Amino acid sequence: MPPSLDPPRLFSRGRPSERWGSSLGFVLAAAGSAVGLGNLWGFAYRASQGGGSAFVLLYLLIVVVVCLPVLVAEMVLGRSTGHAPLIAPVTAGGRRWRPLGWMFLASAVGILSYYSVLMGWTGRSLLHALTGPLPADIGGAEAYFIGISTGGDAVLGHLLSLGLTGLVVAAGVRAGIERLTKVAMPLLFVMLLALLLWAAFLPGAVEGYSTFLLRWDPAKLSDPATIRNAFTQAFFSIGTGIGAILAYATYLNRTSPISGEAVAVVGMDTAVGLMAGCVTFPVVASFGLGDVVSGSTVGALFIALPTGLASLGPAGRVVAVVFFLLAYLAAITSAVSLLEVPASSLMDRLGWSRRRAVWLSVAAIAVLGLPSALDVGVLERMDAVFGGVFLIAGGLALALLLGWRAPARYRADLEGSGSPPALVAALLFALRWVSPPAIAVGLVVSIADLARSWAG
Ligand code: PFF
């Protein structure tokens, strides 16, 4: 009898064989993927759109009961199949799950194409804070921001950032990604902690915390804009539903305690979001810049902060340098995980070398990102579609695949790596009964709200 060919044997020509150096290496890399500009820029922007603590509460709830089981599912899918994001869904669910692999690819490429533009702005702002005085007032900051976010500067920043990301990923899992995240993540935490302490002593600190984080209005819990914001922020910030963590999990060994690692990743990500809010809001309140933050997706990070800091003289410049450096580190550790999705998929599907797969992906993403680099409106739409709708839809598909199509795989992988059966049962229950309906509602609200905002 001929040996049975399971679908991946037909599709895969170069199953990944690299491994992480240690469990800590994986956790820091996965936390690096989660912690990114979304924590620093998205959290402040979305938290300031009127939701207050209702937004924060919904966000935390979604993270724990909806995202965590899905994140674990994504890790299980990667480790148990040993295949890249394009192929793993077929291995677990059969040929009918092929579109999910393509969706992972499209989302990761789509997000990275504008994410690297944002990285470019961040790098440019860092250089500016290092070399010259910060803009003196809000008008100056806006004019400066328009200068860096359009035209040649933006394109150059996008290309350089993408090139840097390519260098890290081309160096490999251990020598590139793990080496970077092991240095960058601890550094990021130290810098953020220092900024947090500094911000706590600003005159507007208490007002900042209370206006944005502690304002309680129960009606906001059912407000579609708040729900959409909490959902988008939770999924984008954890970064599940796109295959990046899946790709990382293929390099895990069988004994790695996935559920504990997932909790560590989610905990670090949430901590950074809240800490970043506790830096941004006091600055914003101290200098009366609230409208700048809630009025534009990019306002918080690139306009309000430098303006506020400028009035503090040289000390403000030091803070700006630290802030943009930490933002750049957060961004590049996320960007490498996004690039790993197409790169590992090309290696697995076509048997290409890592270098070839990486640089071809970089070239394609560089071109795809040009419209976002040239027009902020395009960037915002890309974010709404890929970072919003696609990501959440990917999360839903993951919950259905591992909760309903292949629950035995979820259970076996987790129990086999030492998770207590009661915890596995609770996670599986949430994955089957809580995540899918909750994500489906979140998805419908997101699409409807988005359509309304585009129409009006
Ligand atoms: N979580 C990252 C952020 O908050 O900026 C963005 C991101 C990275 C999204 C990786 C998705 C992903 F797969």
Side-chain angles (χ1 to χ4, degrees), residues 33-39 111 115 236-239 242 244 334 337-338 391:
S33 167
V35 172
L37 293 174
N39 300 65
I111 293 181
Y115 203 81
F236 189 80
S237 181
I238 304 291
I242 197 179
S334 296
S337 75
L338 289 165
L391 201 84

Side-chain angles (χ1 to χ4, degrees), residues 36-64:
L37 293 174
N39 300 65
L40 308 171
W41 155 65
F43 194 86
Y45 160 64
R46 296 197 172 99
S48 68
Q49 284 197 324
S53 38
F55 164 81
V56 178
L57 198 73
L58 274 176
Y59 170 80
L60 291 176
L61 195 75
I62 293 166
V63 162
V64 175

Side-chain angles (χ1 to χ4, degrees), residues 114-337:
Y114 70 83
Y115 203 81
S116 63
V117 175
L118 294 171
M119 278 173 81
W121 300 353
T122 311
R124 192 71 182 74
S125 301
L126 172 62
L127 270 185
H128 186 248
L130 276 169
T131 54
L134 297 170
D137 53 28
I138 202 81
E142 273 168 354
Y144 173 72
F145 176 68
I146 290 171
I148 65 166
S149 62
T150 45
D153 264 23
V155 172
L156 190 66
H158 159 61
L159 296 178
L160 287 177
S161 296
L162 208 50
L164 217 53
T165 307
L167 283 177
V168 176
V169 180
V173 173
R174 266 197 217 189
I177 301 172
E178 189 169 347
R179 209 159 73 182
L180 168 76
T181 46
K182 265 189 158 165
V183 176
M185 293 310 288
L187 202 63
L188 187 149
F189 269 98
V190 171
M191 291 195 288
L192 195 54
L193 207 62
L195 289 185
L196 188 79
L197 290 174
W198 168 81
F201 291 101
L202 284 175
V206 175
E207 191 199 330
Y209 303 145
S210 56
T211 324
F212 295 106
L213 293 172
L214 307 174
R215 184 166 16 107
W216 174 242
D217 175 1
K220 291 285 179 195
L221 287 173
S222 53
D223 170 28
T226 309
I227 298 176
R228 177 183 156 214
N229 272 337
F231 238 90
T232 320
Q233 183 59 26
F235 270 88
F236 189 80
S237 181
I238 304 291
T240 185
I242 197 179
I245 299 291
L246 190 166
Y248 277 5
T250 54
Y251 312 125
L252 274 176
N253 63 41
R254 297 272 159 202
T255 52
S256 222
I258 280 188
S259 39
E261 291 169 346
V263 170
V265 170
V266 164
M268 280 193 246
D269 185 66
T270 305
V272 171
L274 291 172
M275 282 164 80
C278 291
V279 173
T280 316
F281 293 132
V283 175
V284 164
S286 290
F287 303 103
L289 299 163
D291 292 346
V292 187
V293 178
S294 55
S296 131
T297 39
V298 293
L301 211 52
F302 297 101
I303 301 175
L305 212 66
T307 313
L309 295 177
S311 54
L312 297 176
R317 248 178 86 188
V318 173
V319 172
V321 168
V322 174
F323 187 86
F324 285 115
L325 181 61
L326 95 82
Y328 203 83
L329 288 178
I332 191 164
T333 55
S334 296
V336 293
S337 75

Side-chain angles (χ1 to χ4, degrees), residues 10 196 290 423:
L10 294 171
L196 188 79
L423 174 66

